[in-house]
Amino acid sequence: DGMFDLAVNGGGTLTVNFQKDGFLQAQRKVDVPWRDFVWAPLVALVPFDTATTALQASAGFMQVARGNPVTDEDGTRQATVLLPSGTSASMLLPDGSTSPLGLFHVRATEFTVGATGGMAMPAELPPTTGYTYAVELSVDEAVMAGADRVTFSQPVPVYLENFLGVAV
């Protein structure tokens, strides 16, 4: 039913990690009292975007990767990653070693879509922060290897249309 009972030592803050294969991870902090129970905030896990783009490290030309277009009451948007000419890439593996990437596959998955967008955020926002746009940029090969991160030899710009019509 999507419900779990966890018995933990109370008197502090517990960070709960939510994860499932094929979905982006999420975390929530729960203040756990002594000798009592508490409900964790609702969480909606987001499946990885179905759009994937193959990019070649160190190619001699600019490459572009885009997520699927997303439309909801806030408007239409589509995250775009620009990989500059000559950019090399490597992933940092859990054992601390690095592995270069040759051909790799990029996804841009938005968390903040529709009515469940707030529950789908990767973590809770600070109390003074308003609801915001959030996108996960991932490399399939790094996700499959359990890599901690992907690094590039130069900055990799990310572009998003001004879907809210904010004055520039």
Side-chain angles (χ1 to χ4, degrees):
D1 65 356
M3 303 285 287
F4 299 90
D5 294 322
L6 304 173
V8 299
N9 288 328
T13 301
L14 176 70
T15 300
V16 181
N17 293 309
F18 298 87
Q19 62 185 41
K20 181 178 180 179
D21 285 344
F23 290 80
L24 298 173
Q25 294 183 27
Q27 290 185 340
R28 296 295 183 270
K29 292 189 183 286
V30 181
D31 290 322
V32 183
W34 288 103
R35 291 185 270 156
D36 202 353
F37 69 92
V38 66
W39 292 93
L42 294 176
V43 174
L45 294 181
V46 176
F48 283 96
D49 194 309
T50 58
T52 182
T53 305
L55 301 178
Q56 180 63 51
S58 302
F61 51 90
M62 174 77 77
Q63 298 171 83
V64 178
R66 301 194 83 187
N68 279 314
V70 172
T71 302
D72 60 14
E73 63 276 0
D74 293 320
T76 300
R77 56 217 178 255
Q78 185 176 22
T80 302
V81 177
L82 304 171
L83 190 70
S85 173
T87 303
S88 62
S90 63
M91 56 183 169
L92 177 65
L93 300 172
D95 66 2
S97 66
T98 59
S99 178
L101 291 164
L103 182 69
F104 59 96
H105 299 82
V106 174
R107 293 178 195 267
T109 307
E110 184 180 342
F111 287 97
T112 49
V113 181
T116 61
M119 292 185 296
M121 292 293 283
E124 292 173 299
L125 295 171
T128 57
T129 303
Y131 182 60
T132 185
Y133 173 85
V135 65
E136 168 82 8
L137 304 174
S138 60
V139 172
D140 288 354
E141 290 76 6
V143 170
M144 289 186 287
D148 292 330
R149 70 175 166 260
V150 173
T151 56
F152 298 94
S153 61
Q154 58 183 319
V156 175
V158 176
Y159 172 81
L160 181 68
E161 292 85 357
N162 186 2
F163 67 95
L164 295 175
V166 176
V168 237

